[in-house]
Amino acid sequence: MALQSESRLFFVIVNCPGEDVALQIGRAAIESGLAKAFNISAPMKTGYLWQGQFTENVEYQLIFKIGEASKAPLFELAKKMHPFEVAAIKALPITDTDPDYLAFVLDRKPR
């Protein structure tokens, strides 16, 4: 089912330096009503250039599926709670999904 503009969904992905940080942000998003659920990936190795130095770490991806209205407030919440000076927070559009899942995410009755 192709999504209409008023029903746009997004993956919001937040790279976190630890599972505890991911859980804290995830719980806060649910408690504040910005998301209904989240997933935390298995730990993954990450490498990046920061202030002229190559850095390797282990990170966890915190993944939300949300409606467009929650995107900006969720970015703000994650940025405020994240311990990094520059947090990797990004949104990717979901172009197709099951209608019942869309209703769940957008807090509508399933068809």
Side-chain angles (χ1 to χ4, degrees):
M1 169 187 183
L3 301 181
Q4 304 294 328
S5 61
E6 67 274 5
S7 299
R8 291 185 68 194
L9 293 183
F10 293 86
F11 287 112
V12 172
I13 304 167
V14 183
N15 286 28
C16 298
E19 187 177 15
D20 57 335
V21 172
L23 281 169
Q24 289 171 358
I25 295 171
R27 286 181 182 138
I30 288 175
E31 290 169 357
S32 66
L34 296 174
K36 285 193 161 187
F38 61 85
N39 303 98
I40 298 174
S41 72
M44 63 182 177
K45 195 75 162 172
T46 186
Y48 52 90
L49 192 63
W50 178 250
Q51 298 179 340
Q53 299 286 330
F54 179 75
T55 302
E56 287 184 45
N57 281 315
V58 172
E59 293 183 340
Y60 294 76
Q61 284 192 328
L62 171 59
I63 305 165
F64 298 97
K65 283 77 62 184
I66 60 163
E68 189 163 17
S70 295
K71 189 171 54 160
L74 183 56
F75 268 57
E76 185 179 322
L77 174 83
K79 189 172 182 175
K80 183 172 79 171
M81 294 185 70
H82 203 285
F84 286 177
E85 184 178 336
V86 178
I89 305 168
K90 53 260 174 214
L92 304 170
I94 298 172
T95 58
D96 210 1
T97 193
D98 175 73
D100 292 336
Y101 186 74
L102 174 65
F104 166 75
V105 172
L106 297 177
D107 204 27
R108 298 177 184 161
K109 291 184 179 180
R111 298 174 193 209

